[in-house]
Amino acid sequence: MLIVAERVNASRKAIRAALEALDAAAIANEVRIQAAAGAHYIDVNGGTFPGREAELLCWLVDVAQAETRLPLCLDSPDPQALLAALARIKGERPMINSINLEPERFEKILPLARQYNAKLIALAQGEGVPAASAVEKVELATRLVEQLLKGGMALDDIYVDPLVFPVGTDSTSALATVTAMREIMARFPGVHTICGLTNVSHGLPARKLVNRSFLAGAIANGMDAAIIDPTDTLLMSTLLGAEAVFGRDEYCMNLIEAFQDGRLT
């Protein structure tokens, strides 16, 4: 399972405060603890500051790269912010979060991914309301993947996000999402699926329990990447347990190693 660590996000109060103060030590600490917890990519998001997103995203890239050699996931819908931040990447191939079927966004972000050899998170979303049913999610994802392939992207560099919605307002969304994941990966062998996990529990009590339950179901249906908080030890334990149960951890070696290291909760 590829883990994109989500904590360096301007929507979080602590990160917003760190961005306002340009507190590099606070950001570096978030990067450090996520890397130590098992992240494979560090997501950096400098949004919510009108007119300053490019500046702050570049600053986050510099701070994160000074702290870790892990690759970065650049999280912005703004092509200009992405272009500025991509030019500062020094290490491994970055990831872009995200592209969708909106023509203007698609036409500006795809060339950036190709120019900088970046992986892409592809949202099953067009110009209208995001798809709710599994059938609609698969249809949008199919169109998006086909256009990305025509545009020169490799399947292995595409991470499709079918977009899960809060089950508190749409009780069928989690099931529709994992059903879509299974079908998308069957249609395009070699493509990846991913999701921003915590959206599933928005507005509910016991959110972490709901998140863990959804994660296990998504892994059972083939999801092989997730945007999560790797410092959540219960969530990471669920991930390891689900991968072992559903044949994603040969001889359960990752689970055994985590147990021996005292990382299971």
Side-chain angles (χ1 to χ4, degrees), residues 191-223:
V191 80
H192 304 280
T193 51
I194 191 170
C195 75
L197 190 80
T198 56
N199 197 42
V200 71
S201 63
H202 184 74
L204 291 176
R207 291 193 65 184
K208 291 188 175 184
L209 171 61
V210 177
N211 295 341
R212 295 194 301 271
S213 301
F214 177 64
L215 177 63
I219 289 172
N221 282 274
M223 186 179 74

Side-chain angles (χ1 to χ4, degrees), residues 158-255:
I158 301 170
Y159 290 75
V160 178
D161 183 348
L163 294 174
V164 66
F165 305 121
V167 291
T169 55
D170 180 356
S171 59
T172 66
S173 186
L175 179 59
T177 299
V178 299
T179 301
M181 286 176 173
R182 185 172 63 245
E183 176 62 23
I184 291 162
M185 298 181 87
R187 288 192 182 192
F188 299 100
V191 80
H192 304 280
T193 51
I194 191 170
C195 75
L197 190 80
T198 56
N199 197 42
V200 71
S201 63
H202 184 74
L204 291 176
R207 291 193 65 184
K208 291 188 175 184
L209 171 61
V210 177
N211 295 341
R212 295 194 301 271
S213 301
F214 177 64
L215 177 63
I219 289 172
N221 282 274
M223 186 179 74
D224 58 0
I227 304 168
I228 61 175
D229 176 1
T231 69
D232 182 337
T233 55
L234 279 172
L235 185 67
M236 293 294 285
S237 294
T238 298
L239 187 156
L240 288 163
E243 289 200 311
V245 167
F246 295 113
R248 304 268 293 274
D249 179 7
E250 190 172 14
Y251 302 113
C252 302
M253 294 306 298
N254 292 333
L255 182 74

Side-chain angles (χ1 to χ4, degrees), residues 1-254:
M1 172 73 73
L2 184 139
I3 298 168
V4 179
E6 69 179 9
R7 290 174 61 90
V8 183
N9 191 303
S11 66
R12 295 183 61 222
K13 290 181 180 179
I15 300 302
R16 182 177 178 84
L19 286 167
E20 287 174 340
L22 295 182
D23 185 348
I27 299 298
N29 182 63
E30 290 283 3
V31 172
R32 186 184 313 116
I33 63 174
Q34 291 183 109
H40 300 114
Y41 275 79
I42 303 294
D43 188 270
V44 288
N45 176 297
T48 75
F49 291 86
R52 296 187 64 199
E53 185 170 1
E55 169 203 346
L56 293 174
L57 189 60
C58 288
W59 181 78
L60 286 171
V61 166
D62 292 344
V63 173
Q65 288 186 140
E67 185 60 36
T68 184
R69 293 185 179 180
L70 289 178
L72 303 183
C73 179
L74 306 181
D75 188 353
S76 173
D78 183 348
Q80 291 305 311
L82 290 171
L83 175 60
L86 284 163
R88 303 178 84 91
I89 295 293
K90 299 175 182 178
E92 296 185 40
R93 295 176 61 194
M95 179 180 284
I96 293 174
N97 184 8
S98 57
I99 194 168
N100 61 26
L101 281 166
E102 295 172 1
E104 183 176 0
R105 186 165 171 181
F106 186 94
E107 291 165 9
K108 291 182 177 179
I109 291 180
L110 176 58
L112 293 179
R114 295 201 61 196
Q115 179 181 350
Y116 289 94
N117 195 28
K119 298 175 182 290
L120 264 178
I121 294 177
L123 308 182
Q125 179 178 339
E127 291 184 273
V129 177
S133 72
V135 170
E136 292 169 329
K137 291 176 187 294
V138 171
E139 190 273 332
L140 282 175
T142 297
R143 286 170 49 200
L144 183 52
V145 171
E146 288 176 345
Q147 288 190 33
L148 290 172
L149 293 176
K150 288 178 183 178
M153 291 295 295
L155 271 176
D156 187 48
D157 291 333
I158 301 170
Y159 290 75
V160 178
D161 183 348
L163 294 174
V164 66
F165 305 121
V167 291
T169 55
D170 180 356
S171 59
T172 66
S173 186
L175 179 59
T177 299
V178 299
T179 301
M181 286 176 173
R182 185 172 63 245
E183 176 62 23
I184 291 162
M185 298 181 87
R187 288 192 182 192
F188 299 100
V191 80
H192 304 280
T193 51
I194 191 170
C195 75
L197 190 80
T198 56
N199 197 42
V200 71
S201 63
H202 184 74
L204 291 176
R207 291 193 65 184
K208 291 188 175 184
L209 171 61
V210 177
N211 295 341
R212 295 194 301 271
S213 301
F214 177 64
L215 177 63
I219 289 172
N221 282 274
M223 186 179 74
D224 58 0
I227 304 168
I228 61 175
D229 176 1
T231 69
D232 182 337
T233 55
L234 279 172
L235 185 67
M236 293 294 285
S237 294
T238 298
L239 187 156
L240 288 163
E243 289 200 311
V245 167
F246 295 113
R248 304 268 293 274
D249 179 7
E250 190 172 14
Y251 302 113
C252 302
M253 294 306 298
N254 292 333

